[in-house]
Coordinates of all heavy atoms in Angstrom, one line a residue:
M1 N 124.5 192.0 -82.7 CA 123.7 192.7 -83.6 C 122.5 193.4 -82.9 O 121.9 192.7 -82.1 CB 123.2 191.8 -84.7 CG 122.5 192.4 -85.8 SD 122.6 191.4 -87.3 CE 121.5 192.4 -88.4
P2 N 122.1 194.6 -83.2 CA 121.0 195.3 -82.5 C 119.7 194.7 -82.9 O 119.5 194.1 -83.9 CB 121.2 196.7 -82.9 CG 121.9 196.7 -84.2 CD 122.8 195.5 -84.2
K3 N 118.7 194.9 -82.0 CA 117.4 194.5 -82.3 C 116.8 195.4 -83.4 O 117.1 196.5 -83.6 CB 116.5 194.7 -81.1 CG 116.8 193.7 -79.9 CD 115.9 194.0 -78.8 CE 116.2 193.1 -77.6 NZ 115.3 193.3 -76.5
V4 N 115.8 194.8 -84.2 CA 115.2 195.5 -85.2 C 113.9 196.1 -84.7 O 113.1 195.4 -84.0 CB 114.8 194.5 -86.4 CG1 114.1 195.3 -87.5 CG2 116.1 193.9 -86.9
K5 N 113.7 197.4 -84.9 CA 112.5 198.0 -84.3 C 111.3 197.7 -85.2 O 111.4 197.8 -86.4 CB 112.7 199.5 -84.2 CG 113.6 199.9 -83.0 CD 113.6 201.3 -82.7 CE 114.4 201.6 -81.5 NZ 114.3 203.0 -81.1
T6 N 110.1 197.6 -84.6 CA 108.9 197.4 -85.3 C 108.3 198.8 -85.7 O 108.4 199.7 -84.9 CB 107.8 196.7 -84.4 OG1 108.3 195.4 -84.0 CG2 106.5 196.5 -85.1
N7 N 107.8 198.9 -86.9 CA 107.2 200.1 -87.4 C 105.9 200.4 -86.6 O 105.0 199.5 -86.5 CB 106.9 200.0 -88.9 CG 106.4 201.3 -89.5 OD1 105.3 201.6 -89.1 ND2 107.1 201.9 -90.3
S8 N 105.8 201.5 -85.9 CA 104.7 201.8 -85.0 C 103.4 201.9 -85.7 O 102.4 201.4 -85.2 CB 104.9 203.1 -84.3 OG 106.0 203.0 -83.4
S9 N 103.4 202.4 -87.0 CA 102.1 202.5 -87.7 C 101.7 201.1 -88.2 O 100.5 200.8 -88.2 CB 102.2 203.4 -88.9 OG 103.2 203.0 -89.8
A10 N 102.6 200.2 -88.5 CA 102.3 198.9 -89.0 C 101.7 198.0 -87.9 O 100.8 197.2 -88.1 CB 103.5 198.2 -89.6
K11 N 102.3 198.1 -86.7 CA 101.8 197.3 -85.6 C 100.3 197.6 -85.2 O 99.6 196.8 -84.6 CB 102.7 197.3 -84.4 CG 102.7 198.6 -83.6 CD 103.8 198.5 -82.5 CE 104.0 199.9 -81.8 NZ 105.1 199.8 -80.9
K12 N 99.9 198.8 -85.5 CA 98.5 199.2 -85.2 C 97.6 198.8 -86.3 O 96.4 198.7 -86.1 CB 98.4 200.7 -85.1 CG 99.2 201.3 -83.9 CD 99.3 202.8 -84.0 CE 100.3 203.3 -82.9 NZ 100.6 204.7 -83.1
R13 N 98.1 198.5 -87.5 CA 97.2 198.2 -88.7 C 97.2 196.7 -89.1 O 96.2 196.3 -89.7 CB 97.8 199.0 -89.9 CG 97.5 200.5 -89.9 CD 98.2 201.2 -91.0 NE 97.8 202.6 -91.1 CZ 98.3 203.6 -90.3 NH1 99.1 203.3 -89.4 NH2 97.8 204.8 -90.5
F14 N 98.1 195.9 -88.7 CA 98.2 194.5 -89.1 C 98.2 193.6 -87.9 O 98.8 193.9 -86.8 CB 99.4 194.3 -89.9 CG 99.5 195.1 -91.2 CD1 100.4 196.2 -91.2 CD2 98.7 194.9 -92.2 CE1 100.5 197.0 -92.4 CE2 98.8 195.7 -93.4 CZ 99.7 196.7 -93.4
K15 N 97.6 192.4 -88.1 CA 97.6 191.4 -87.0 C 98.0 190.1 -87.7 O 97.7 189.8 -88.8 CB 96.2 191.2 -86.4 CG 95.7 192.4 -85.6 CD 96.2 192.5 -84.3 CE 95.7 193.6 -83.5 NZ 96.6 194.8 -83.5
L16 N 98.8 189.3 -87.0 CA 99.2 188.0 -87.4 C 98.2 187.0 -87.1 O 97.7 186.9 -86.0 CB 100.6 187.7 -86.8 CG 101.4 186.6 -87.4 CD1 101.9 187.1 -88.8 CD2 102.7 186.3 -86.6
T17 N 97.8 186.1 -88.1 CA 96.8 185.1 -87.9 C 97.5 183.9 -87.3 O 98.8 183.8 -87.3 CB 96.1 184.7 -89.2 OG1 97.1 184.2 -90.1 CG2 95.4 185.9 -89.8
G18 N 96.8 182.9 -87.0 CA 97.3 181.7 -86.4 C 98.1 180.9 -87.4 O 99.0 180.1 -87.0
T19 N 97.8 181.0 -88.7 CA 98.5 180.2 -89.7 C 99.7 181.0 -90.3 O 100.3 180.6 -91.3 CB 97.5 179.9 -90.9 OG1 96.9 181.1 -91.4 CG2 96.4 178.9 -90.4
G20 N 99.9 182.2 -89.8 CA 101.1 183.0 -90.2 C 100.8 184.0 -91.3 O 101.7 184.7 -91.8
K21 N 99.5 184.1 -91.7 CA 99.2 185.2 -92.6 C 99.0 186.5 -91.9 O 98.9 186.5 -90.7 CB 97.9 184.8 -93.4 CG 98.0 183.5 -94.2 CD 96.7 183.1 -94.8 CE 96.9 181.9 -95.6 NZ 95.6 181.3 -96.1
I22 N 98.9 187.6 -92.6 CA 98.7 188.9 -92.0 C 97.4 189.5 -92.3 O 97.0 189.6 -93.5 CB 99.9 189.8 -92.4 CG1 101.2 189.2 -92.0 CG2 99.7 191.2 -91.8 CD1 102.4 190.0 -92.5
A23 N 96.6 189.8 -91.3 CA 95.2 190.3 -91.5 C 95.3 191.8 -91.6 O 96.2 192.4 -90.9 CB 94.3 189.9 -90.4
R24 N 94.4 192.4 -92.3 CA 94.3 193.9 -92.4 C 92.9 194.3 -92.5 O 92.0 193.5 -92.8 CB 95.1 194.3 -93.7 CG 94.4 193.8 -95.0 CD 95.0 194.4 -96.2 NE 94.4 193.8 -97.4 CZ 93.3 194.3 -97.9 NH1 92.6 195.4 -97.4 NH2 92.7 193.8 -99.0
K25 N 92.6 195.6 -92.3 CA 91.3 196.2 -92.5 C 91.2 196.8 -93.9 O 92.2 197.1 -94.5 CB 91.1 197.3 -91.5 CG 91.1 196.8 -90.0 CD 89.8 196.4 -89.6 CE 89.8 196.1 -88.1 NZ 88.6 195.8 -87.5
H26 N 90.0 197.0 -94.4 CA 89.8 197.6 -95.7 C 89.8 199.1 -95.5 O 89.4 199.7 -94.4 CB 88.4 197.2 -96.3 CG 88.4 195.9 -96.9 ND1 89.0 195.6 -98.1 CD2 88.0 194.7 -96.4 CE1 88.8 194.3 -98.4 NE2 88.2 193.7 -97.3
A27 N 90.3 199.8 -96.5 CA 90.3 201.3 -96.5 C 89.0 201.8 -97.0 O 88.1 201.1 -97.4 CB 91.5 201.8 -97.4
F28 N 88.9 203.1 -97.0 CA 87.7 203.9 -97.5 C 86.4 203.6 -96.7 O 85.3 203.6 -97.3 CB 87.5 203.5 -99.0 CG 88.7 203.7 -99.8 CD1 89.3 202.6 -100.4 CD2 89.2 204.9 -100.1 CE1 90.4 202.7 -101.2 CE2 90.3 205.1 -100.9 CZ 90.9 204.0 -101.4
K29 N 86.5 203.5 -95.4 CA 85.3 203.2 -94.6 C 85.3 204.2 -93.4 O 84.6 203.9 -92.4 CB 85.4 201.8 -94.0 CG 84.2 201.3 -93.2 CD 83.0 200.9 -94.1 CE 81.7 200.8 -93.5 NZ 81.6 200.2 -92.2
S30 N 85.9 205.4 -93.5 CA 85.9 206.2 -92.3 C 85.1 207.5 -92.5 O 84.5 208.0 -91.6 CB 87.4 206.6 -92.0 OG 88.0 207.3 -93.1
H31 N 85.0 208.1 -93.7 CA 84.3 209.3 -93.9 C 83.8 209.3 -95.4 O 84.2 208.5 -96.2 CB 85.0 210.5 -93.5 CG 86.3 210.8 -94.3 ND1 86.4 211.8 -95.2 CD2 87.4 210.1 -94.4 CE1 87.6 211.8 -95.7 NE2 88.2 210.7 -95.3
I32 N 83.0 210.3 -95.7 CA 82.4 210.5 -97.0 C 81.6 209.2 -97.4 O 81.8 208.6 -98.4 CB 83.4 210.9 -98.1 CG1 84.3 212.0 -97.6 CG2 82.7 211.3 -99.4 CD1 85.4 212.3 -98.6
L33 N 80.8 208.7 -96.5 CA 80.1 207.4 -96.6 C 78.7 207.6 -97.3 O 78.2 206.6 -97.7 CB 79.9 206.8 -95.3 CG 81.3 206.4 -94.6 CD1 81.0 205.9 -93.2 CD2 82.1 205.4 -95.4
T34 N 78.2 208.8 -97.4 CA 76.9 208.9 -98.0 C 76.8 208.6 -99.4 O 75.8 208.1 -99.9 CB 76.4 210.4 -97.8 OG1 77.3 211.3 -98.3 CG2 76.2 210.7 -96.3
K35 N 77.8 208.8 -100.2 CA 77.8 208.5 -101.6 C 78.1 207.1 -101.9 O 78.0 206.6 -103.1 CB 78.7 209.4 -102.4 CG 80.2 209.3 -102.0 CD 81.1 210.2 -102.9 CE 81.1 211.6 -102.5 NZ 82.1 212.4 -103.1
K36 N 78.6 206.3 -100.9 CA 78.9 204.9 -101.1 C 77.7 204.1 -100.8 O 76.9 204.3 -99.9 CB 80.1 204.5 -100.2 CG 81.3 205.2 -100.6 CD 82.4 205.0 -99.5 CE 83.6 206.0 -99.9 NZ 84.5 206.2 -98.7
S37 N 77.5 203.0 -101.6 CA 76.3 202.2 -101.5 C 76.4 201.4 -100.2 O 77.5 201.1 -99.7 CB 76.1 201.3 -102.7 OG 77.1 200.3 -102.7
T38 N 75.2 200.9 -99.7 CA 75.2 200.1 -98.5 C 76.0 198.8 -98.7 O 76.7 198.4 -97.8 CB 73.7 199.8 -98.2 OG1 73.0 201.0 -98.1 CG2 73.6 199.1 -96.8
K39 N 75.9 198.2 -99.9 CA 76.6 197.0 -100.2 C 78.1 197.2 -100.1 O 78.9 196.4 -99.6 CB 76.2 196.4 -101.5 CG 76.9 195.2 -102.0 CD 76.4 194.7 -103.3 CE 77.1 193.5 -103.8 NZ 76.6 193.0 -105.1
R40 N 78.5 198.3 -100.7 CA 80.0 198.6 -100.7 C 80.5 198.8 -99.3 O 81.6 198.3 -99.0 CB 80.2 199.9 -101.6 CG 81.6 200.3 -101.8 CD 81.6 201.5 -102.8 NE 82.9 202.2 -102.8 CZ 83.1 203.3 -103.4 NH1 82.1 203.9 -104.0 NH2 84.2 203.9 -103.3
K41 N 79.8 199.5 -98.5 CA 80.2 199.8 -97.1 C 80.2 198.5 -96.3 O 81.1 198.2 -95.5 CB 79.3 200.8 -96.4 CG 79.5 202.2 -97.0 CD 78.6 203.2 -96.2 CE 77.2 203.2 -96.7 NZ 76.4 204.3 -96.2
R42 N 79.2 197.6 -96.6 CA 79.1 196.4 -95.8 C 80.3 195.5 -96.2 O 80.9 194.8 -95.4 CB 77.8 195.7 -96.2 CG 77.6 194.4 -95.4 CD 76.2 193.8 -95.7 NE 75.9 193.5 -97.1 CZ 75.1 194.1 -97.9 NH1 74.3 195.1 -97.4 NH2 74.9 193.8 -99.1
N43 N 80.7 195.4 -97.5 CA 81.8 194.6 -97.9 C 83.1 195.2 -97.4 O 84.1 194.4 -97.3 CB 81.8 194.5 -99.4 CG 80.7 193.6 -100.0 OD1 80.2 192.8 -99.2 ND2 80.3 193.9 -101.2
L44 N 83.2 196.4 -97.1 CA 84.4 197.0 -96.6 C 84.6 196.7 -95.1 O 85.7 196.9 -94.5 CB 84.5 198.5 -96.8 CG 84.7 199.0 -98.2 CD1 84.5 200.5 -98.3 CD2 86.0 198.6 -98.8
T45 N 83.5 196.3 -94.4 CA 83.5 196.0 -93.0 C 84.4 194.8 -92.7 O 85.2 194.8 -91.7 CB 82.1 195.7 -92.5 OG1 81.3 196.9 -92.7 CG2 82.1 195.4 -91.0
H46 N 84.4 193.8 -93.5 CA 85.1 192.5 -93.3 C 86.6 192.8 -93.4 O 87.0 193.5 -94.3 CB 84.6 191.4 -94.2 CG 83.1 191.3 -94.2 ND1 82.4 191.0 -93.1 CD2 82.3 191.5 -95.3 CE1 81.1 191.0 -93.5 NE2 81.0 191.3 -94.8
S47 N 87.4 192.1 -92.6 CA 88.8 192.2 -92.7 C 89.3 191.3 -93.9 O 88.7 190.4 -94.3 CB 89.5 191.8 -91.4 OG 89.2 190.4 -91.1
G48 N 90.5 191.7 -94.4 CA 91.1 190.9 -95.5 C 92.5 190.5 -95.1 O 92.9 190.6 -94.0
L49 N 93.2 189.9 -96.1 CA 94.5 189.4 -95.9 C 95.5 190.2 -96.8 O 95.1 190.7 -97.8 CB 94.7 187.9 -96.2 CG 93.9 187.0 -95.3 CD1 94.0 185.6 -95.9 CD2 94.4 187.0 -93.9
V50 N 96.7 190.4 -96.3 CA 97.7 191.1 -97.1 C 98.1 190.2 -98.3 O 98.3 189.0 -98.1 CB 98.9 191.4 -96.2 CG1 100.1 191.9 -97.0 CG2 98.5 192.4 -95.1
S51 N 98.2 190.7 -99.5 CA 98.6 189.9 -100.6 C 100.0 189.5 -100.6 O 100.8 190.0 -99.8 CB 98.4 190.8 -101.9 OG 99.3 191.8 -102.0
E52 N 100.3 188.4 -101.3 CA 101.6 187.8 -101.3 C 102.7 188.9 -101.8 O 103.8 188.9 -101.4 CB 101.7 186.6 -102.3 CG 101.0 185.4 -101.7 CD 101.7 184.9 -100.4 OE1 102.9 184.9 -100.4 OE2 101.0 184.5 -99.5
A53 N 102.3 189.8 -102.7 CA 103.2 190.8 -103.3 C 103.6 191.7 -102.2 O 104.8 192.2 -102.2 CB 102.5 191.5 -104.4
D54 N 102.8 192.0 -101.2 CA 103.1 193.0 -100.2 C 103.6 192.3 -98.9 O 104.0 193.0 -97.9 CB 101.8 193.8 -99.8 CG 101.4 194.6 -101.0 OD1 102.2 195.1 -101.8 OD2 100.1 194.7 -101.2
M55 N 103.6 191.0 -98.8 CA 103.9 190.3 -97.6 C 105.3 190.6 -97.1 O 105.5 190.8 -95.9 CB 103.7 188.8 -97.8 CG 103.7 188.0 -96.5 SD 102.1 188.2 -95.6 CE 101.1 187.2 -96.5
G56 N 106.3 190.7 -98.0 CA 107.6 190.9 -97.6 C 107.8 192.3 -96.9 O 108.5 192.4 -95.9
N57 N 107.2 193.3 -97.5 CA 107.3 194.7 -97.0 C 106.6 194.7 -95.6 O 107.2 195.4 -94.7 CB 106.6 195.7 -97.9 CG 107.5 195.9 -99.2 OD1 108.7 195.7 -99.2 ND2 106.8 196.2 -100.3
V58 N 105.5 194.1 -95.5 CA 104.8 194.2 -94.2 C 105.5 193.4 -93.1 O 105.6 193.9 -92.0 CB 103.3 193.7 -94.4 CG1 102.6 193.6 -93.0 CG2 102.5 194.5 -95.3
K59 N 106.0 192.3 -93.5 CA 106.8 191.5 -92.5 C 108.0 192.3 -92.0 O 108.4 192.2 -90.9 CB 107.2 190.1 -93.1 CG 106.1 189.1 -93.0 CD 106.5 187.8 -93.5 CE 105.4 186.8 -93.3 NZ 105.9 185.4 -93.7
R60 N 108.7 193.0 -93.0 CA 109.8 193.8 -92.6 C 109.4 194.9 -91.6 O 110.2 195.2 -90.7 CB 110.5 194.4 -93.9 CG 111.9 194.9 -93.6 CD 112.5 195.3 -94.9 NE 112.7 194.2 -95.9 CZ 112.0 194.2 -97.1 NH1 111.3 195.2 -97.5 NH2 112.2 193.2 -97.9
M61 N 108.3 195.5 -91.9 CA 107.8 196.6 -91.0 C 107.5 196.1 -89.6 O 107.6 196.7 -88.6 CB 106.6 197.3 -91.6 CG 107.0 198.2 -92.7 SD 105.6 199.3 -93.2 CE 104.5 198.2 -93.9
L62 N 107.0 194.8 -89.6 CA 106.6 194.2 -88.3 C 107.8 193.5 -87.6 O 107.6 192.9 -86.6 CB 105.5 193.2 -88.5 CG 104.1 193.8 -88.9 CD1 103.1 192.7 -89.2 CD2 103.6 194.7 -87.8
A63 N 109.0 193.5 -88.3 CA 110.2 192.9 -87.8 C 110.0 191.4 -87.6 O 110.4 190.8 -86.6 CB 110.6 193.6 -86.4
L64 N 109.3 190.7 -88.6 CA 109.1 189.3 -88.5 C 110.1 188.5 -89.3 O 110.1 187.3 -89.4 CB 107.7 189.0 -89.0 CG 106.5 189.5 -88.2 CD1 105.2 189.2 -89.0 CD2 106.5 188.9 -86.8
G65 N 111.0 189.2 -90.0 CA 111.9 188.6 -90.9 C 111.2 188.4 -92.3 O 110.1 188.7 -92.4
K66 N 112.0 187.9 -93.2 CA 111.4 187.7 -94.6 C 111.5 186.3 -95.0 O 110.7 185.5 -95.1 CB 112.2 188.5 -95.6 CG 111.5 188.7 -96.9 CD 112.2 189.5 -97.8 CE 111.5 189.7 -99.2 NZ 112.3 190.3 -100.2

């Protein structure tokens, strides 16, 4: 059976944590920042985790199996 290729965009956006969860960055932090409050921008700085509902799709893109 052939190898499963990893999605190139996914491998740049997601990292696997030590416990097997998938870390991600928050969106909406790249431009048009003047109208966003300082608190909102600060909260977007921290990384988050992929939700359980999206975990299967992300694992498939990263070729981790399901």
